[in-house]
Amino acid sequence: MTKAYIILLLIIPFVALSQEKNNYLKRLKAVKNRSVTYYNIDGIDFTSQTFTSPFTDKDLKFAYRKYSITNDDLKSKDDSLAYNNVHITKREKISDSLHAISSYYFIEDKQKLTTVICFTYFDTPNQQFERELINLIVEDKLLPNVFEDNQIDSIDFAGRKIQLSNSCYWTNVNTVQCPYLGEMNWSLHQTLQSATKAIQNQLTVTGLRKGLKIISKTEVKVIFENTPTTALKVVYGFTGLTNLAVKTSGGKTLIAYYVADKVRDNYVSCVMSFWDNDKILENGLPPLLDKVMQLSK
């Protein structure tokens, strides 16, 4: 049976960008999953999807429904793009101090089909960044090394190749799950401030999930990718007996480590988690986490 992990590691926080294209493209990663491609950079997750329907008012209604766009949503055209398009921005309150802003582009691509590119932020959107990425995606100009293989035997973790168990798989771009061996997600950033903010946003979003409670929260000394640093260790419990993650995992608590620090040429935000009934090594961590982090003695 496949081990289930809580959605907290699938909700990747989004922050705004302010860097030059040649720099941020070095941190961009993507995974193709059938008709949808998932991207990650600087804590931002965004997607692109091409529909086999033309860019007409009638066919756009189907694409709108797929992305929960309603008649009440304000639609405009971004005239700075070289393609016919419809641009929609939606804002959702997450908490009193946190809002999610989604920026949708419905684009008539070179094949006269409809491509949808969606960016979501927990900060002010960067429209210049959006336009640059849209052009690269629509023109198919992203380099092959941006895209990860769907079948995992190894991953590129912040510039270092890591061999994995053959049971591991992607649950999102830069999000790896290894049943009974741990799970982690990460993102490369230009600055430590960006990496730290991504961690803080992820903590906030996770803490608002129903049926989830924080049992303990402590700072611990760790060695992360050979760098001594401090991680935030959070132990999560669950309320109610119907929680799917608890039922399918068999575990009672989920332990997560949140780290933001410099790794080689980039800053990294990383969240690593495991259930209390996972395979735990003598060092107190499951095998996946042990590949990137050790607890300081």
Side-chain angles (χ1 to χ4, degrees):
M1 177 173 55
T2 299
K3 184 116 180 209
Y5 281 74
I6 190 167
I7 301 299
L8 74 94
L9 295 186
L10 304 184
I11 303 177
I12 310 299
F14 309 102
V15 293
L17 290 177
S18 57
Q19 61 269 61
E20 296 179 358
K21 178 169 64 175
N22 289 337
N23 188 6
Y24 69 65
L25 286 181
K26 296 178 182 178
R27 299 191 296 280
L28 180 64
K29 283 295 181 182
V31 173
K32 293 182 179 180
N33 184 9
R34 297 181 182 178
S35 65
V36 183
T37 303
Y38 300 85
Y39 308 85
N40 178 277
I41 179 176
D42 282 31
I44 299 175
D45 272 11
F46 57 102
T47 63
S48 66
Q49 180 177 15
T50 298
F51 293 88
T52 58
S53 55
F55 192 85
T56 65
D57 290 339
K58 178 181 177 181
D59 290 293
L60 276 174
K61 291 179 180 179
F62 171 77
Y64 289 157
R65 287 196 298 270
K66 294 283 288 186
Y67 285 85
S68 300
I69 304 299
T70 68
N71 292 332
D72 295 330
D73 293 319
L74 182 63
K75 303 173 180 65
S76 62
K77 181 179 180 181
D78 188 340
D79 291 323
S80 66
L81 293 174
Y83 326 98
N84 195 12
N85 69 87
V86 176
H87 181 214
I88 299 157
T89 301
K90 300 182 71 171
R91 184 182 182 93
E92 178 185 0
K93 181 179 178 179
I94 304 299
S95 69
D96 289 340
S97 60
L98 194 63
H99 290 78
I101 302 172
S102 298
S103 182
Y104 300 89
Y105 293 84
F106 294 78
I107 299 164
E108 183 178 28
D109 62 23
K110 295 185 295 183
Q111 288 73 40
K112 302 299 181 181
L113 301 176
T114 300
T115 292
V116 183
I117 302 176
C118 176
F119 303 85
T120 307
Y121 305 81
F122 284 149
D123 208 332
T124 304
N126 186 323
Q127 201 162 19
Q128 181 59 34
F129 162 76
E130 295 174 3
R131 291 164 179 163
E132 291 175 353
L133 266 296
I134 287 170
N135 287 327
L136 290 171
I137 292 169
V138 174
E139 298 294 330
D140 196 23
K141 289 185 177 180
L142 291 175
L143 296 177
N145 62 1
V146 168
F147 298 91
E148 299 278 16
D149 292 333
N150 287 71
Q151 299 297 322
I152 299 179
D153 61 355
S154 64
I155 59 174
D156 175 6
F157 185 79
R160 180 171 74 93
K161 185 176 181 180
I162 298 176
Q163 293 295 136
L164 296 180
S165 162
N166 57 14
S167 66
C168 300
Y169 55 90
W170 298 113
T171 57
N172 201 340
V173 60
N174 284 0
T175 304
V176 171
Q177 179 174 318
C178 302
Y180 297 99
L181 304 177
E183 180 181 12
M184 65 181 186
N185 73 64
W186 69 95
S187 187
L188 304 186
H189 302 258
Q190 185 185 31
T191 66
L192 180 59
Q193 180 184 12
S194 173
T196 302
K197 190 170 186 179
I199 289 295
Q200 292 171 344
N201 287 341
Q202 195 162 352
L203 271 167
T204 299
V205 173
T206 301
L208 295 173
R209 289 190 56 78
K210 292 182 179 180
L212 186 68
K213 63 179 180 180
I214 295 177
I215 297 175
S216 65
K217 184 187 295 187
T218 55
E219 290 188 348
V220 296
K221 298 295 183 181
V222 300
I223 307 296
F224 182 68
E225 284 294 273
N226 295 321
T227 299
T229 188
T230 300
L232 180 63
K233 178 183 178 182
V234 183
V235 179
Y236 294 98
F238 302 87
T239 59
L241 300 177
T242 59
N243 190 290
L244 178 62
V246 175
K247 280 186 174 182
T248 54
S249 72
K252 294 182 179 180
T253 59
L254 187 75
I255 300 93
Y257 289 89
Y258 296 78
V259 178
D261 212 318
K262 188 171 185 180
V263 175
R264 290 174 282 278
D265 296 329
N266 296 291
Y267 292 93
V268 175
S269 61
C270 185
V271 181
M272 299 154 281
S273 74
F274 60 97
W275 289 94
D276 57 353
N277 67 337
D278 278 355
K279 177 182 178 181
I280 308 299
L281 303 175
E282 291 184 1
N283 61 9
L285 296 174
L288 178 62
L289 276 63
D290 180 60
K291 291 181 178 294
V292 299
M293 186 183 76
Q294 291 76 45
L295 301 176
S296 296
K297 297 181 180 179

